[in-house]
Amino acid sequence: MDAPAVSIRTPDQRIRVFVSSTLRELEAERRAARQAIESLHLAPIMFELGARPHPPRSLYRSYLAQSDIFVGIYGESYGWVAPGEEVSGLEDEYILSAGLPKLIYVKDQAPGREPRLEELLDRLREDDQTSYKRYTDADELRELITADIAVMLAERFDASRSAETEERPPEDGGTAGHVPAPFSAIVGRAGAIATVRELLERRDVRLVTLTGPGGIGKSRLAIEIAGGMAAEGGDVVFVSLEAVRSADFVLPAIAHELGVRDSGDGPLQDKILTALAQRRLLLVLDNMEHVLDAASVVIKLISTLPDLTVLVTSRSPLRLRPERTFEVQPLEVPTMDAELSPHAAAAVPSVALFVERARAVRPDFELTEANVSAVMGICRALEGVPLALELAAARVRSLSPESILERLADGLGLLSSGARDLPERQRTLSGTIQWSVDLLPASARTTLARLAVFTGPFTLEAAEALVGDGTLDSLDALVESSLVRQRDMQGEDVFSLLATVRSYSAGLSTPDEWDAARDAHAEYFLGLARSAGVGLRAGGHQAHWLIVLNIQRADLASAVGWFTQRGAWDSATDLAWSLWLYLWLGGLLGQVRTWMTRLMDEAAARGEQLSPRAEAIALYFTRAIAFWQQQDVDLVGGLTRSAELFGESGDASGEALARVSSALARLAATTPDVPGAIAELERSLTRFRAAQDRWGEAMSLVTMGRVLLVAGQVDAAASRFEESLDLATAEGEPLGMAIALNHRGWVRLLGGDVDGAEGDFVRGLEISASLGHDEGVAYGLEGLVALAAGAGDAARAGELSGAAESLRQRTGSFNAAAFSFHGPAIEALRSAGMGDEFDAAAARGRALPIAEVLDHARV
């Protein structure tokens, strides 16, 4: 029998499902499709600009080539056909999906279906390789997609079992997922790649910096090197610093990419050093030129960690003693007197890059005898600067190479006469950007100026909030001109500007226009934070909001910074408070403490008094996350004052949360005040109930139960955990359910209900894993450690304990000794003479991938 078209993968590889449909017309259906795909733990590949006029075919090809299943959803609209094209983007996606298994869904009631879509559907009905079904609404569609994909995978699995050959994933320990996917093929850099890799592989070289002007290709070279080393089994983590505005936030950015939680319960630098202590790692720090003051962070890391190597990209060297610099050069260009054939010219790196990028926007572009001279002239005019070549090539869609060369020469001539203080290559790149911008419609130029306020990746919704009408058309023009880039992040379609383009675009606005754009940007993200604050507590929406906020976290921080700069204390603190649950889940509370410390210092410097609620929030964030650090601050006094100020401002939920933290601070005192902590928690519970805040009530009950459990009041603790679980379940709030289940499991175990405890630990573990909540996963594993140890299974207990320990070390999620209940069970194993077996298994557990550990935990 022939091998199946799609091979069965190991569980760590998620199957990708490409979803094709129009955007606005089928918004509810797209949401339903995403939910169905994610419910099967597959990866949805969705373009939120799927209905824009006609995206480059290479974009579709790239994403479809990485997809495993094609899902087409059709309603009434065929989509717009771009000038010079024969089909819409919607039909183009279907054509390019040839070879993929297809599931097609057609809306049943669609009286306004356009004729060209009807023609396309007729063709689909005749395709005997396509599953074709009708649906009535989004709910039915969700059920159909879920069932059909499940059946398809089952059938293909059955077929694969008898196959003689099967593709197997590479057996390596690399972490290529940490390296960004390149936007284009790399050209003409083989020598540079070999030289830099030789440096990085030397034990005596710890720091290599790729230098050169903006647009020269430093980041692209770093991505290629890092990706190659990861593919070969290397441990690689890539950190983009482009969106980091201050050297103070370089360490948090590194921690985020490493998965280390900045929860404020210890110095972040120490957590990173602990997490990396046993790893031979290549750490890539991309775009560091604007945060060179963070060079001290780099030197501390490489001085403390002998197995760490750092690759930096920067327009300027870091000027550290261990640093080796490599200046990235422009691509080779044809000589002035060269008269090359198209074949010979295509071998010149700058020409090869221009042709490759031209084909991305016009697939039929070829180098010919008629245009080869003009293309070589373009490459010479742009001096082989890769970004400049890419911007010029994007114009092949509407201009001939001869026209590009003519216009480009005029534009660069004008610029060169006006900016002679800039280095030559910088004038070339700036001139190319200016020329590209000058060719845009006026609306797109205005849009580009407004988009420059974004610090990091942004969504279509965010762009529309700042730009208004016509955003979609303007974005389309900017993407096609390579001034804005589009990509998929965690199933969301996002856009971004390169730092060089952003810097140029910011100069298109007057100071008043820039301030107005920053105001609008900050107000949008304040609104987003408020919506997220509600959505994160709503059942079934936490995972979505975590993705949305993670993608745009740089701009959320930027908004807080702008509000602080403007003296808008209430807005800055309100944004931070709305994100409380996200900051906790994401391990970012240490970062928000920095925000609020700066805010309080800035207000004091201006002699301005914060409003009661703003002061309450600032006090909370600068005190509540320091429980287990013996800092020289009055934690109990500050949190009590915070609670009082929340009460004065009429925020009962805020007061209740501050009292929960006040209770924990009392427990963390040198002499723990257990009665005082319980009294504070009782007051907290009363205030949450007065505010009808069921989420807060559930959290308060769990905290009270933990304190009672530590105090030996097992029955009282069990009652609190049951109440908390009932509340979280009624609200459909998964995080609250996981936390309550983990704690109820301990009560059941202490009461001798081993089966009930195991059920709670496993269920809580699975919910935490689905949310990406590492701390919850660690708690669940530790519960199962106690069960295995109690049963005398030293091998299982050790493996799970090692995995939990490794997870906490890598993420910086350390459990306070007072709340760690599995330790006595391990000591009992050691006392029984099984310590060596436990330790050997723990070593294995520390080395296992977390996905494999979770599979073992469920057995």
Side-chain angles (χ1 to χ4, degrees), residues 6-32:
V6 179
S7 62
I8 302 306
R9 307 178 180 203
T10 55
D12 60 318
Q13 295 184 326
R14 296 179 69 194
I15 291 175
R16 299 182 177 97
V17 183
F18 186 99
V19 180
S20 174
S21 76
T22 50
L23 174 63
R24 301 297 176 85
E25 175 201 6
L26 299 176
E27 182 178 358
E29 283 87 344
R30 291 176 69 80
R31 188 162 51 246

Short mmCIF file of all heavy atoms in Angstrom, two decimals, residues 6-32:
data_model
loop_
_atom_site.label_atom_id
_atom_site.label_comp_id
_atom_site.label_asym_id
_atom_site.label_seq_id
_atom_site.Cartn_x
_atom_site.Cartn_y
_atom_site.Cartn_z
N VAL A 6 -0.43 12.25 4.47
CA VAL A 6 -0.12 12.97 5.70
C VAL A 6 0.32 11.97 6.74
O VAL A 6 -0.42 11.05 7.07
CB VAL A 6 -1.35 13.75 6.23
CG1 VAL A 6 -0.99 14.46 7.53
CG2 VAL A 6 -1.83 14.73 5.19
N SER A 7 1.53 12.08 7.25
CA SER A 7 2.01 11.14 8.24
C SER A 7 1.56 11.54 9.63
O SER A 7 1.26 12.68 9.89
CB SER A 7 3.54 11.08 8.19
OG SER A 7 4.09 12.33 8.50
N ILE A 8 1.49 10.52 10.53
CA ILE A 8 1.06 10.78 11.90
C ILE A 8 2.25 11.31 12.70
O ILE A 8 3.33 10.74 12.66
CB ILE A 8 0.51 9.49 12.53
CG1 ILE A 8 -0.64 8.98 11.67
CG2 ILE A 8 0.04 9.73 13.95
CD1 ILE A 8 -1.73 9.99 11.42
N ARG A 9 2.01 12.36 13.44
CA ARG A 9 3.10 13.03 14.14
C ARG A 9 3.15 12.63 15.60
O ARG A 9 2.19 12.13 16.15
CB ARG A 9 2.91 14.56 14.05
CG ARG A 9 2.71 15.04 12.63
CD ARG A 9 2.49 16.52 12.62
NE ARG A 9 2.31 16.98 11.24
CZ ARG A 9 2.51 18.21 10.85
NH1 ARG A 9 2.90 19.11 11.69
NH2 ARG A 9 2.32 18.55 9.60
N THR A 10 4.27 12.93 16.23
CA THR A 10 4.35 12.75 17.67
C THR A 10 3.52 13.83 18.33
O THR A 10 3.25 14.87 17.73
CB THR A 10 5.82 12.85 18.11
OG1 THR A 10 6.35 14.08 17.65
CG2 THR A 10 6.63 11.69 17.57
N PRO A 11 3.09 13.62 19.60
CA PRO A 11 2.14 14.53 20.23
C PRO A 11 2.63 15.96 20.38
O PRO A 11 1.82 16.85 20.60
CB PRO A 11 1.90 13.89 21.60
CG PRO A 11 2.22 12.45 21.41
CD PRO A 11 3.34 12.43 20.44
N ASP A 12 3.96 16.19 20.29
CA ASP A 12 4.43 17.56 20.48
C ASP A 12 4.28 18.41 19.23
O ASP A 12 4.57 19.59 19.26
CB ASP A 12 5.91 17.55 20.91
CG ASP A 12 6.79 16.88 19.87
OD1 ASP A 12 6.38 15.83 19.33
OD2 ASP A 12 7.89 17.39 19.61
N GLN A 13 3.82 17.84 18.12
CA GLN A 13 3.65 18.58 16.89
C GLN A 13 2.16 18.78 16.61
O GLN A 13 1.44 17.84 16.34
CB GLN A 13 4.31 17.86 15.71
CG GLN A 13 5.83 17.77 15.84
CD GLN A 13 6.44 17.13 14.61
OE1 GLN A 13 5.84 16.25 14.00
NE2 GLN A 13 7.61 17.58 14.24
N ARG A 14 1.72 20.02 16.67
CA ARG A 14 0.30 20.31 16.47
C ARG A 14 -0.03 20.37 14.98
O ARG A 14 0.69 20.98 14.20
CB ARG A 14 -0.08 21.63 17.14
CG ARG A 14 0.09 21.60 18.64
CD ARG A 14 -0.28 22.93 19.25
NE ARG A 14 -1.70 23.18 19.14
CZ ARG A 14 -2.26 24.37 19.35
NH1 ARG A 14 -1.52 25.40 19.63
NH2 ARG A 14 -3.56 24.51 19.25
N ILE A 15 -1.12 19.73 14.62
CA ILE A 15 -1.58 19.77 13.23
C ILE A 15 -2.17 21.14 12.94
O ILE A 15 -2.93 21.69 13.74
CB ILE A 15 -2.60 18.64 13.00
CG1 ILE A 15 -1.88 17.29 13.06
CG2 ILE A 15 -3.32 18.82 11.68
CD1 ILE A 15 -2.79 16.11 12.96
N ARG A 16 -1.82 21.71 11.78
CA ARG A 16 -2.27 23.05 11.42
C ARG A 16 -3.46 22.98 10.48
O ARG A 16 -3.42 22.26 9.49
CB ARG A 16 -1.13 23.85 10.76
CG ARG A 16 0.08 24.04 11.65
CD ARG A 16 1.12 24.88 10.93
NE ARG A 16 2.28 25.15 11.76
CZ ARG A 16 3.39 24.46 11.73
NH1 ARG A 16 3.50 23.44 10.89
NH2 ARG A 16 4.40 24.75 12.50
N VAL A 17 -4.49 23.75 10.80
CA VAL A 17 -5.71 23.78 10.00
C VAL A 17 -5.88 25.18 9.42
O VAL A 17 -6.09 26.15 10.16
CB VAL A 17 -6.94 23.40 10.85
CG1 VAL A 17 -8.18 23.35 9.97
CG2 VAL A 17 -6.72 22.06 11.55
N PHE A 18 -5.77 25.29 8.12
CA PHE A 18 -5.91 26.58 7.41
C PHE A 18 -7.40 26.86 7.20
O PHE A 18 -8.11 26.03 6.63
CB PHE A 18 -5.18 26.51 6.08
CG PHE A 18 -5.13 27.82 5.32
CD1 PHE A 18 -4.00 28.61 5.37
CD2 PHE A 18 -6.20 28.26 4.58
CE1 PHE A 18 -3.94 29.80 4.68
CE2 PHE A 18 -6.16 29.46 3.89
CZ PHE A 18 -5.02 30.23 3.94
N VAL A 19 -7.85 28.02 7.65
CA VAL A 19 -9.26 28.39 7.52
C VAL A 19 -9.40 29.51 6.50
O VAL A 19 -8.81 30.58 6.65
CB VAL A 19 -9.86 28.83 8.87
CG1 VAL A 19 -11.33 29.23 8.70
CG2 VAL A 19 -9.74 27.72 9.90
N SER A 20 -10.19 29.26 5.45
CA SER A 20 -10.39 30.23 4.38
C SER A 20 -11.84 30.70 4.39
O SER A 20 -12.77 29.90 4.37
CB SER A 20 -10.06 29.58 3.03
OG SER A 20 -10.39 30.45 1.96
N SER A 21 -12.03 32.02 4.44
CA SER A 21 -13.39 32.59 4.36
C SER A 21 -13.25 34.09 4.21
O SER A 21 -12.17 34.65 4.40
CB SER A 21 -14.20 32.28 5.62
OG SER A 21 -13.79 33.09 6.69
N THR A 22 -14.36 34.76 3.89
CA THR A 22 -14.36 36.21 3.95
C THR A 22 -14.37 36.63 5.41
O THR A 22 -14.74 35.86 6.29
CB THR A 22 -15.58 36.79 3.22
OG1 THR A 22 -16.75 36.12 3.68
CG2 THR A 22 -15.45 36.59 1.72
N LEU A 23 -13.96 37.87 5.68
CA LEU A 23 -13.73 38.29 7.05
C LEU A 23 -14.98 38.82 7.73
O LEU A 23 -15.53 38.20 8.63
CB LEU A 23 -12.63 39.36 7.08
CG LEU A 23 -12.36 40.01 8.43
CD1 LEU A 23 -11.87 39.00 9.43
CD2 LEU A 23 -11.35 41.14 8.26
N ARG A 24 -15.47 39.98 7.29
CA ARG A 24 -16.56 40.64 8.00
C ARG A 24 -17.85 39.84 7.91
O ARG A 24 -18.58 39.70 8.88
CB ARG A 24 -16.77 42.05 7.44
CG ARG A 24 -15.54 42.93 7.54
CD ARG A 24 -15.16 43.14 9.01
NE ARG A 24 -13.93 43.90 9.14
CZ ARG A 24 -13.86 45.22 9.13
NH1 ARG A 24 -14.95 45.93 8.96
NH2 ARG A 24 -12.70 45.82 9.29
N GLU A 25 -18.14 39.32 6.72
CA GLU A 25 -19.40 38.61 6.50
C GLU A 25 -19.53 37.39 7.41
O GLU A 25 -20.61 37.10 7.92
CB GLU A 25 -19.50 38.18 5.03
CG GLU A 25 -20.72 37.32 4.72
CD GLU A 25 -20.55 36.50 3.45
OE1 GLU A 25 -19.44 36.50 2.88
OE2 GLU A 25 -21.52 35.85 3.05
N LEU A 26 -18.43 36.69 7.63
CA LEU A 26 -18.48 35.41 8.35
C LEU A 26 -17.67 35.47 9.65
O LEU A 26 -17.03 34.50 10.05
CB LEU A 26 -17.94 34.29 7.45
CG LEU A 26 -18.73 34.06 6.15
CD1 LEU A 26 -18.05 32.99 5.30
CD2 LEU A 26 -20.17 33.65 6.46
N GLU A 27 -17.74 36.60 10.33
CA GLU A 27 -16.97 36.77 11.57
C GLU A 27 -17.36 35.73 12.62
O GLU A 27 -16.50 35.13 13.27
CB GLU A 27 -17.18 38.18 12.12
CG GLU A 27 -16.38 38.46 13.38
CD GLU A 27 -16.57 39.88 13.87
OE1 GLU A 27 -17.29 40.65 13.21
OE2 GLU A 27 -16.01 40.21 14.93
N ALA A 28 -18.68 35.51 12.81
CA ALA A 28 -19.13 34.54 13.80
C ALA A 28 -18.67 33.13 13.43
O ALA A 28 -18.29 32.33 14.29
CB ALA A 28 -20.65 34.58 13.94
N GLU A 29 -18.73 32.80 12.13
CA GLU A 29 -18.30 31.48 11.68
C GLU A 29 -16.80 31.27 11.89
O GLU A 29 -16.35 30.18 12.27
CB GLU A 29 -18.66 31.29 10.20
CG GLU A 29 -20.14 31.01 9.96
CD GLU A 29 -20.97 32.28 9.83
OE1 GLU A 29 -20.46 33.36 10.22
OE2 GLU A 29 -22.11 32.20 9.33
N ARG A 30 -16.02 32.30 11.66
CA ARG A 30 -14.58 32.19 11.86
C ARG A 30 -14.26 31.94 13.34
O ARG A 30 -13.39 31.14 13.69
CB ARG A 30 -13.87 33.46 11.38
CG ARG A 30 -13.91 33.63 9.88
CD ARG A 30 -13.29 34.95 9.45
NE ARG A 30 -11.85 34.96 9.67
CZ ARG A 30 -10.96 34.41 8.86
NH1 ARG A 30 -11.38 33.76 7.77
NH2 ARG A 30 -9.68 34.49 9.12
N ARG A 31 -14.99 32.64 14.20
CA ARG A 31 -14.79 32.43 15.62
C ARG A 31 -15.16 31.00 16.01
O ARG A 31 -14.47 30.35 16.81
CB ARG A 31 -15.63 33.45 16.39
CG ARG A 31 -15.36 33.48 17.89
CD ARG A 31 -15.87 34.77 18.54
NE ARG A 31 -17.25 35.04 18.17
CZ ARG A 31 -17.65 36.06 17.44
NH1 ARG A 31 -16.76 36.93 16.96
NH2 ARG A 31 -18.93 36.26 17.16
N ALA A 32 -16.26 30.50 15.45
CA ALA A 32 -16.68 29.12 15.75
C ALA A 32 -15.65 28.12 15.24
O ALA A 32 -15.35 27.12 15.90
CB ALA A 32 -18.04 28.85 15.12
#
